[in-house]
Amino acid sequence: MQITPQPLITVRDLCVTLNEISILSDICFELNMGEYVGVIGPNGGGKSTLIKVLLNLLPQTSGTFHIGNEQIPHPTIGYVPQRLVQNDVVFPAIVSDVVASGLTKHVRRKEKKERILAALEKTNCTHLIDRHMSGLSGGERQRVLVSRTLLMNPHILILDEPTAGMDIASEQQFFQLLKELHDEGMTILLVSHDIDRIAKEVDTVLCINHSMMCFSGTSHLDMSDAINKMYGGHVHVLHHDHHHH
């Protein structure tokens, strides 16, 4: 018997207006459990605004959204921001402390250490446990931030431009990590402006430029059509030479 997947995020006619400027209008989509969705669109097109609304950091002007379903009424959301803080070069914390801050309730010291190690192991960062965040590369930092969210055992992982500023090798490692998490059943919502890369990684693409341009499985997606709609045809896709396994 085929079980119909239940949406974990449902968004209906969502509109956001800030200072009388329409940032988002008529956004409608459903995200099913275990789905890997890429949110793509031009800078300033409203991608981060959508994330902030879903995280209750910004109110919507009209429309509704619901996160959860019968199986998981109140899902835990792990959020990885684009950067920790704008001038995070001077961030004076040690990796183990940053990861530990993802613990939502108090646990005994021994269990705490075990859980921190397990989370760092998952992201290939155990060797960084005693390092200062300020001494890490951008890729290492983002993997540490993912470790932090994994301590919450999130049902949904939301990432906002997580590979911004990473070199190609770090980026590939990072996408490999997301693929492994997705293969284990994690629901992932990933914001990016790297259209070509995202189309190779995710199951479904949500294209936004202030309004919905497309919401489609990557196998059925006409990328050039989507780009024309989003950018008005001023963008050419540069194909990277990496293959999706």
Side-chain angles (χ1 to χ4, degrees):
M1 190 179 89
Q2 182 68 37
I3 297 173
T4 312
Q6 283 195 312
L8 203 50
I9 299 179
T10 307
V11 177
R12 291 270 174 272
D13 305 319
L14 191 79
C15 299
V16 178
T17 303
L18 293 173
N19 303 326
E20 298 182 19
I21 295 166
S22 171
I23 309 292
L24 290 174
S25 62
D26 305 323
I27 306 293
C28 297
F29 67 92
E30 288 183 350
L31 199 153
N32 289 324
M33 286 170 66
E35 212 170 351
Y36 188 177
V37 174
V39 181
I40 59 175
N43 286 337
K47 303 186 299 293
S48 291
T49 299
L50 173 64
I51 297 306
K52 284 175 182 158
V53 170
L54 295 178
L55 293 167
N56 285 317
L57 299 174
L58 256 187
Q60 73 268 37
T61 312
S62 61
T64 59
F65 71 95
H66 181 72
I67 299 180
N69 57 29
E70 280 171 29
Q71 281 167 278
I72 311 171
H74 305 290
T76 308
I77 299 175
Y79 171 53
V80 178
Q82 189 168 355
R83 281 190 291 275
L84 207 49
V85 283
Q86 282 320 105
N87 57 349
D88 55 7
V89 181
V90 293
F91 192 64
I94 288 168
V95 166
S96 55
D97 294 340
V98 171
V99 177
S101 67
L103 278 173
T104 40
K105 50 185 184 291
H106 192 70
V107 292
R108 288 202 305 279
R109 183 182 284 182
K110 184 171 181 285
E111 189 196 334
K112 183 176 172 179
K113 181 134 202 218
E114 283 167 5
R115 286 181 60 181
I116 290 168
L117 269 170
L120 284 168
E121 205 167 299
K122 218 165 195 170
T123 60
N124 248 336
C125 289
T126 39
H127 60 293
L128 302 174
I129 190 162
D130 296 321
R131 296 264 305 273
H132 268 268
M133 285 294 278
S134 54
L136 304 185
S137 71
E140 288 169 336
R141 257 183 246 181
Q142 290 299 77
R143 297 214 311 270
V144 168
L145 291 184
V146 173
S147 310
R148 177 185 175 275
T149 65
L150 292 181
L151 269 196
M152 309 171 191
N153 295 321
H155 301 99
I156 304 167
L157 189 57
I158 294 181
L159 306 105
D160 191 358
E161 300 272 8
T163 58
M166 276 190 203
D167 60 59
I168 298 243
S170 305
E171 187 181 278
Q172 284 187 312
Q173 277 183 324
F174 193 79
F175 278 118
Q176 183 58 36
L177 165 63
L178 294 185
K179 184 184 182 307
E180 285 161 17
L181 292 172
H182 175 236
D183 289 346
E184 288 167 19
M186 178 88 71
T187 304
I188 300 176
L189 187 63
L190 170 69
V191 173
S192 178
H193 62 272
D194 187 344
I195 299 173
D196 182 47
R197 178 77 215 226
I198 292 308
K200 289 183 171 66
E201 298 293 338
V202 302
D203 307 321
T204 308
V205 171
L206 171 63
C207 313
I208 291 180
N209 187 1
H210 300 296
S211 61
M212 290 263 297
M213 299 294 166
C214 68
F215 184 59
S216 144
T218 43
S219 51
H220 309 297
L221 187 64
D222 178 344
M223 278 320 279
S224 54
D225 180 50
I227 289 162
N228 271 331
K229 282 182 185 159
M230 281 190 299
Y231 297 90
H234 302 305
V235 171
H236 299 287
V237 177
L238 297 169
H239 291 287
H240 301 299
D241 291 333
H242 40 227
H243 302 287
H244 185 42
H245 302 295

